[in-house]
Amino acid sequence: MKKISMVMMVFLIIVGSVYTNSYANTICSDMYMLEETVDEYKYEFCNGSIERIYDSSGNLIMKNKFENGLRIEKKGIDKCKFTYDENRNLKFEIRNGKKITYIYEYDSKFNYYMISGFVYNDETFFYTRDEVNRIDGIKNSKQETIAKYIYIKDNNQVEKVLEYKDDEWKECADSTFVGNFNKIRNICSYYDEESELYYENGVFYDVVTNKIIQESKQEDEIQLFTYGDDLDYSIACWQQSLLEDSNFNSGKEWSPTWYEGLSDVEIIARVIYGENTYVAVDQKAIAWVIRNRTKKYGCVPVEVVLEDYQFSAAGVPNDPSYQTIKTQNSGDTGWAGAVYRACLICTTLDEYDWDILSEKPSGMSSQTCYRAWFCYDRFSGNGQMYYDGVAVYDVYIAGYGYVESYDELYNIIDSYSDRNIFFSY
């Protein structure tokens, strides 16, 4: 187990590059400076995923194989092969020749799958969870608690695995004990004993530092990662709590100061919903524009959506020029989607996280502007496109693709009159 102290610094630094099988693999050093103890690992990346992990002596301790962004094979202390379902959930694994099948519960309201247990040797086991939804124990098919996990205070690292023995709970290090045999920890992450990292949906992270282990894209770049584990679930929980808040979901008529006193996440959610109330792919593209503008101008997201004359649904500084639902909502799935995207915007702008949690609509690039569909007649050009006579680039409609000429836009716009036209200057 990694030693923990009150003061911690994490550096992810490029120390060299190698080229293997025509792939550029970056080796990084992840150093944990904890009092006088330093644990050092080196990570070798292939196509953005950790392919190999070495210890401080240069020994290979784990090798991974990926397909479609998901780990399908691992070789280390254990030899594992992983199979996923259509929702990218771990369906089952073959570990050292033995099959473990995972069980999920589906929340239809929030469209979220939660792992609830597993089947091994024809016996079913169920997870129990603590107040912050971390797995804190295992029950057998008789609903008897047979294992417990003790987490370090204010940390997602399991400090002890307990077994009930001789009428008391005792720490157990036996690798065959079900509490140690089970590798699903925290909320829904896979624990790699070799590296003490946790894996979920293509991402490795360190629970001691709460940092994602990610490939640097530029040489000599120091990257400090601040996003915690199970980011998708954290955002989904935030979304759910907001949707259960009657005040957050109440209608608000437009006024010149409608946004005063509201949180950033509520302002952004209402603007996204006002821009498109039900087409999910268009809402997603709108969220990307907000994210792209925020990164481009170096401001905060709420400043982007409240910028004068930019977002019609915000009505800043004037009453919206056309009838949307303005700053109201009706509690439908479109509103739930807008709230999720607002939570994401207020949590992280990191492109790596966004590619996982809210992937760009197919074909979209880095557009920073859009206009409502009925503004199509203000576009012109063939090859080079113009808006109100000014050159624009990457003219795009979510669900259709790029538009190369006014004639093309004119011919297809009636079929896409429920969404916006995206572009950049």
Side-chain angles (χ1 to χ4, degrees), residues 383-398:
Q384 174 61 64
M385 295 284 286
Y386 300 86
Y387 182 79
D388 285 346
V390 179
V392 294
Y393 304 90
D394 299 332
V395 179
Y396 171 85
I397 297 177

Side-chain angles (χ1 to χ4, degrees), residues 95 149 161 172-183 185:
R95 189 191 307 164
Y149 298 108
V161 179
C172 179
D174 182 359
S175 62
T176 63
F177 173 56
V178 66
N180 292 309
F181 177 82
N182 168 61
K183 300 301 182 184
R185 308 285 174 83

Side-chain angles (χ1 to χ4, degrees), residues 88-105:
R88 298 172 68 90
N89 295 315
L90 178 58
K91 187 176 181 180
F92 63 86
E93 65 169 298
I94 305 297
R95 189 191 307 164
N96 302 324
K98 298 181 179 180
K99 185 175 182 179
I100 305 133
T101 302
Y102 293 98
I103 305 168
Y104 292 83
E105 294 179 356

Side-chain angles (χ1 to χ4, degrees), residues 39-40 90 95 154 188 212 238 249 260 344 365 379:
D39 293 333
E40 182 178 356
L90 178 58
R95 189 191 307 164
D154 300 323
C188 53
I212 291 173
W238 189 13
N249 294 283
E260 292 183 359
L344 175 61
S365 55
F379 288 86

Side-chain angles (χ1 to χ4, degrees), residues 272-280 282-283 286 324-326 328 330 332-336 338 418:
I272 292 174
Y273 188 55
E275 294 290 311
N276 197 310
T277 61
Y278 66 96
V279 181
D282 199 67
Q283 278 194 358
I286 291 166
T324 66
I325 47 75
K326 299 181 181 177
Q328 301 180 42
S330 58
D332 60 15
T333 56
W335 172 241
D418 57 354

